[in-house]
Amino acid sequence: LKKHLSREDHPYHKFSTGNMNTLHVWPEAKGIDTRSELIKFYDKHYSASIMHLVIYSKENLDKTQGLVEEMFQEIRNTNNSIPTFPGQPCTPDHLQVLVKAVPIRQGHKLTVSWPVTPSIHHYEEAPCSYLGHLIGHEGVGSLFHALKTLGWATRLYAGEEDLTMECSFFNVLVDLTDAGHEHMQDVLGLLFRHIKHLQQSGVSQWIFDELSAICEAEYHYQAKRDPFSYAKAISRNMKIYPTKHWLVGSSLPSRFNPAIVQKVLNELSPSNVRIFWGSKKFEGQTDKIEPWYKTAYSFENITEFTIQEWMQSAPYVTLHLPVPNVFIPTDFSLKDVEDKDIFPVLLRKTSFSRLWYKPDTKFFKPKAFVKIDFNCPLAKTSPDAVVLSNIFVWLLVDCLNEYAYYARAAGLKYGLGLSGNGFELYLVGFNHKLRILLEAIMQKIAKFKVKPERFSVIKETITKTYQNIKFQQPYERAMSYCSMVLQDHTWPWTEKLEALTHLEADDLVNFVPMLLSRTFVECYIAGNVEKNEAESMVKHIEDVLFNDPKPISRPIFPSQTMTSRVVELGTGIKYFYHQEGSNPSDENSALVHYIQVHQDEYAMNSKLQIFRLIAKQATFHQLRTVEQLGYITSLSQSNHSGVYGVQFIIQSSVKGPGDIDSRVESLLKDLESKLHKKTDEEFKSNVTALIDMKLEKHKNLNEESSFYWQEIKNGTFKFNRRDEEVAALRELKKVELIEFFNTYIKVDAPKKKSMSICVYGSKHLKEMASDKDKVASPFIQIEDIVGFRKSQPVYGSLKGWSQLKL
């Protein structure tokens, strides 16, 4: 919509995605051949003079140079220059406008946008980073804090977007509550009042110096990136920055220049603004349709005088600059670790908690990774309990935000969310001030109070989140249904929404003490942290929760040990679940064809993984490229709490789920033939490729820690998993893979356990009844997911801690 409302002769106006109309129907109506135009474009622009090449290699420079000359010397050079498109994409007709639009999902969103001088020309002065930091700040005295206190907003972001060398936009995005939607003019009035205050108060050097210090620390101690994305990023930098800054780019603001910042700040004016306001409440109140995605909208002009009136009528709130950031790290020293443990070790275990510890022996960064899982038996016992646990976590984040935002800004990230058996806290980033943040979070948990006005805002936000589930893609709904059939302690979103409708603040007041009353704390601490520091952190958590004269928590009973149980499907029986799509306006249908194979075991894992590697490309080629069933077509490995399988995922507007399911069965027959025809050399090549992928080293602390945490979370503790699975792969023979396929995967395999989740879009809904009738015996039709799950046998849980010894 923003592109549509811009100069038609500017590239920004063009539809960047493309569809059948833009690429075929409309050009053909004008007598334009798309292929001919593409060739003309190639002839005009394809030239080495406007290309940039990055080679990321372990070879020495001489050999790398030789490879480059050999492989790229034939690229033609016509000495073209990079095309330029001077001028802003917005004329005066596109400024001082208010656009109301009807979104697909529930919620109210406000986007305030100004065309500004691209900061890429002043990347060392970083004017938009400076302004984004101040306007998007979330601490006490910030615009967001004021809007949040008034109950009008749940999120605010400010920064530069759609950046090119010739033009860019500075945007402020606000997620409004229902009350905020009704006070939109006041929200805008406060925004412009805040901007005016910044314009008048001048540019502060200490704030710029803080930003510079944060950026310098994050750049110099950045984690190693994926080589592919790193090479791409450098190639983009090469066409923008001078040679000395190809690697750095805009990462290091270093020149304090108030005039440049003030220039961009002055461009954020009422005369230069575009306001986009999205809400379902505008349905039936619009008179225009955007041509590409058919978004309904209305368009009106607003004057500077109108915005001045909004500024004057907005309520008085105290807005001021942020205070100095106490979380900016200054100690980047690396700890002297005596034990060079290859894998996590169980460092401490009590009736209250368990601590897994892994010092950094690879990456040598002054950073830490902390995961704390609060296992609370009450958290997942019912839809009401799940919803109340969710509100509790949201409110914790809400009350921490003004303080903890400074930590996030300084490179110390944290998060709280529901976990499989309670709620989970993570802290990731510079280790210097991490303990301070952890103690603050634990204090908030211990002294948690329910504020009725914030409860109402969070309840409204979560309600919209549940309501918007029905607008998920059909394949996402199918995957969700599949997990719900298999995994215990999962509840339909409709039940959680119904439960939420009746909950009030007093319900949460009564629930939280019960939730925390029985708790077991699972901890993983890794990185630049010494053993005694890790133990001290966990001891502090225990002191807060368990060691008060009137403790918040007590140890869980042995009978309350957290488990994750997965339904074991029957062999020789096909399970079906047919469901109408939740979004009536979506014509797409989806299928998840799930094949359950085994519980975690190295040799079986390796066979499943090599099958998936071999079959993945054939699946994509046949179902998407040849049969063109749908854009979303994949074959992936599934892991439900240590129970492994494969799932074919297809979303289509061409065929319904019943037809797609038959195509998957046909594909499996083709795969059987392909496996038998595969030569020993081809099989060995596949195995080698999978081994190479498994032996690829973790690139950074977060990647390594996430791998180990998954083992702890699942209760498998197979920290050497990759080495063991590689050993199993080295012994694997082609005949063993064929035997595995014939036993568990192929059509009518003797030990096959499969289930088809069919979600019907509006285009295929009429096929659902006949598809049910066509199902061949033996089969089981699932009508009630939760009822079915409760009636089925389950795999033994891999979780449990009583058997682990220090």
Side-chain angles (χ1 to χ4, degrees), residues 561-586:
T561 296
M562 301 292 102
T563 60
S564 296
R565 310 300 297 272
V566 177
V567 167
E568 182 174 6
L569 301 177
T571 57
I573 302 171
K574 183 70 179 286
Y575 297 82
F576 285 91
Y577 179 69
H578 298 84
Q579 182 60 257
E580 179 180 349
S582 53
N583 181 6
S585 63
D586 194 336

Side-chain angles (χ1 to χ4, degrees), residues 239-466:
K239 69 178 182 180
I240 299 173
Y241 303 101
T243 306
K244 65 179 181 178
H245 289 154
W246 280 354
L247 299 183
V248 175
S250 300
S251 301
L252 295 176
S254 55
R255 293 182 181 176
F256 178 64
N257 189 323
I260 289 175
V261 178
Q262 192 71 43
K263 181 179 184 296
V264 176
L265 181 54
N266 291 339
E267 290 174 333
L268 310 185
S269 70
S271 63
N272 200 37
V273 74
R274 288 151 55 91
I275 302 168
F276 296 84
W277 186 12
S279 174
K280 281 282 193 182
K281 291 194 174 184
F282 296 140
E283 286 182 328
Q285 302 176 28
T286 59
D287 57 357
K288 294 179 175 60
I289 298 290
E290 176 269 313
W292 297 311
Y293 290 108
K294 308 303 179 186
T295 302
Y297 74 97
S298 65
F299 179 99
E300 61 185 273
N301 295 106
I302 52 171
T303 64
E304 292 185 63
F305 178 74
T306 298
I307 293 176
Q308 294 290 342
E309 286 186 324
W310 294 348
M311 292 169 64
Q312 293 170 7
S313 63
Y316 174 78
V317 297
T318 301
L319 298 174
H320 58 74
L321 295 177
V323 299
N325 192 338
V326 298
F327 282 101
I328 295 177
T330 55
D331 182 0
F332 302 105
S333 61
L334 298 180
K335 306 296 172 74
D336 185 16
V337 179
E338 295 179 2
D339 299 323
K340 306 295 183 182
D341 296 307
I342 300 175
F343 301 119
V345 295
L346 182 57
L347 187 60
R348 185 176 189 273
K349 181 186 174 185
T350 69
S351 60
F352 309 124
S353 70
R354 186 167 60 185
L355 168 60
W356 298 89
Y357 170 70
K358 170 69 173 69
D360 178 11
T361 58
K362 294 181 183 177
F363 311 110
F364 308 110
K365 305 288 184 183
K367 296 185 176 183
F369 181 103
V370 176
K371 278 272 194 177
I372 303 167
D373 194 359
F374 298 86
N375 290 271
C376 306
L378 185 61
K380 295 292 187 76
T381 53
S382 69
D384 299 81
V386 172
V387 173
L388 286 166
S389 299
N390 202 14
I391 298 175
F392 166 61
V393 168
W394 278 57
L395 281 172
L396 271 177
V397 173
D398 186 70
C399 69
L400 276 164
N401 191 62
E402 286 75 27
Y403 175 76
Y405 177 81
Y406 284 93
R408 295 210 316 270
L412 178 54
K413 313 301 182 192
Y414 84 100
L416 281 154
L418 293 187
S419 64
N421 295 298
F423 65 99
E424 189 174 274
L425 165 67
Y426 75 84
L427 300 99
V428 177
F430 292 107
N431 60 274
H432 183 201
K433 308 288 182 73
L434 186 146
R435 175 65 182 264
I436 299 172
L437 180 59
L438 173 62
E439 290 182 4
I441 294 170
M442 289 308 304
Q443 187 68 17
K444 288 291 185 183
I445 293 174
K447 304 294 184 183
F448 180 77
K449 301 293 182 186
V450 179
K451 298 178 180 178
E453 70 279 4
R454 297 309 301 163
F455 176 91
S456 298
V457 170
I458 297 303
K459 178 180 176 179
E460 177 191 315
T461 304
I462 295 177
T463 297
K464 290 172 184 173
T465 301
Y466 286 144

Side-chain angles (χ1 to χ4, degrees), residues 664-677:
V664 172
E665 298 266 317
S666 178
L667 172 69
L668 287 171
K669 294 175 182 177
D670 292 340
L671 288 172
E672 181 179 2
S673 174
K674 282 183 169 59
L675 284 178
H676 282 279
K677 291 178 181 178

